[in-house]
Amino acid sequence: MEGKLLLYSALTIYFFRCSFGRVIESPQYKVIHLESDFEIRQYRQVSWMSALVQGTASFEKSTQQGFHRLYQYIHGANSNSSRLMMTSPVTTTITASTHGLDRLVRYYLPVMYAKNPPLPNSELNVQFEKWTSNCLAVRRFSGFAKDDNINKEIDALMSSLSKYLPGSGAISKYTIAQYNSSHHPSGRLNEVWLDVSAFTAEGCQPL
């Protein structure tokens, strides 16, 4: 276990290759706690473009609708008419609100655009968002992330966390991270993310 932790604890960028062999840029983090079924990561500052979706009960439909707007931004619907490179993961954060469940779909901005990205066209209703350094508990799962399986993965992560972080069961929002295109049927990687910055963990300080 210690050997694995040392292997992963160096600052890391995830790179995943699409079917054409391109390297896909992903956020930087280091693993600061490792268990058999989850890990806790400390992320550096991360910049996103985000699209809020309300009024639908479906995780899958919300992600599709939000990413459709982000896709337009990536492919030139912005102040520079720039075409940005695809990155991973695409994330969907689910939060309880007065409207029911809000879903915020995010595109990770490449490092070259992290501080000063092209402005999105106003009709897209897409916002620039920056995360400060934070700590996430992460559980991996394969296949497609769907309405009928994400709750099982969330429950499994929260159950595992309860053994190590007392009080973490009170967390009210979560994120599903998807690393592969919908046209990539095999070898898929997804993750459940829970922000645990407010809880004590090895080397992970509250914000």
Side-chain angles (χ1 to χ4, degrees):
M1 182 62 70
E2 289 184 1
K4 288 184 178 179
L5 185 55
L6 289 173
L7 175 64
Y8 287 105
S9 62
L11 193 60
T12 305
I13 298 179
Y14 259 169
F15 289 106
F16 289 87
R17 294 183 180 273
C18 71
S19 57
F20 298 104
R22 290 181 299 159
V23 174
I24 305 298
E25 185 180 338
S26 294
Q28 298 181 359
Y29 67 84
K30 64 178 179 179
V31 176
I32 51 123
H33 186 90
L34 184 64
E35 298 292 336
S36 60
D37 55 351
F38 79 95
E39 62 192 34
I40 295 178
R41 300 174 183 166
Q42 189 172 43
Y43 278 82
R44 285 185 169 184
Q45 288 188 351
V46 182
S47 295
W48 309 88
M49 280 294 173
S50 61
L52 178 64
V53 180
Q54 297 174 313
T56 174
S58 169
F59 159 79
E60 294 172 65
K61 289 181 179 178
S62 297
T63 301
Q64 290 169 3
Q65 290 176 19
F67 185 69
H68 177 69
R69 287 149 54 191
L70 294 168
Y71 183 87
Q72 293 178 73
Y73 169 76
I74 295 167
H75 284 78
N78 57 64
S79 56
N80 298 342
S81 298
S82 300
R83 293 177 66 90
L84 282 68
M85 68 183 71
M86 191 57 206
T87 61
S88 67
V90 172
T91 68
T92 305
T93 298
I94 298 94
T95 308
S97 75
T98 56
H99 306 282
L101 292 177
D102 289 346
R103 294 174 171 87
L104 197 62
V105 184
R106 295 184 178 93
Y107 157 74
Y108 167 65
L109 281 163
V111 171
M112 65 181 295
Y113 294 113
K115 293 183 178 179
N116 189 28
L119 297 176
N121 291 356
S122 59
E123 68 272 12
L124 297 180
N125 193 20
V126 169
Q127 306 294 325
F128 175 57
E129 182 181 357
K130 182 173 287 188
W131 285 3
T132 57
S133 177
N134 65 343
C135 297
L136 302 177
V138 177
R139 173 183 170 87
R140 296 184 179 92
F141 65 101
S142 59
F144 284 88
K146 292 181 172 291
D147 290 296
D148 60 3
N149 67 2
I150 59 172
N151 287 337
K152 179 187 72 174
E153 301 297 338
I154 296 158
D155 290 345
L157 176 56
M158 294 186 73
S159 176
S160 297
L161 272 179
S162 66
K163 304 170 186 176
Y164 299 93
L165 295 175
S168 57
I171 294 172
S172 61
K173 70 177 181 179
Y174 57 89
T175 296
I176 302 297
Q178 300 183 71
Y179 286 87
N180 306 100
S181 159
S182 59
H183 303 295
H184 191 130
S186 61
R188 298 186 62 82
L189 174 64
N190 313 288
E191 294 172 342
V192 180
W193 292 358
L194 290 176
D195 192 323
V196 292
S197 299
F199 300 94
T200 301
E202 297 175 15
C204 195
Q205 302 299 319
L207 294 176

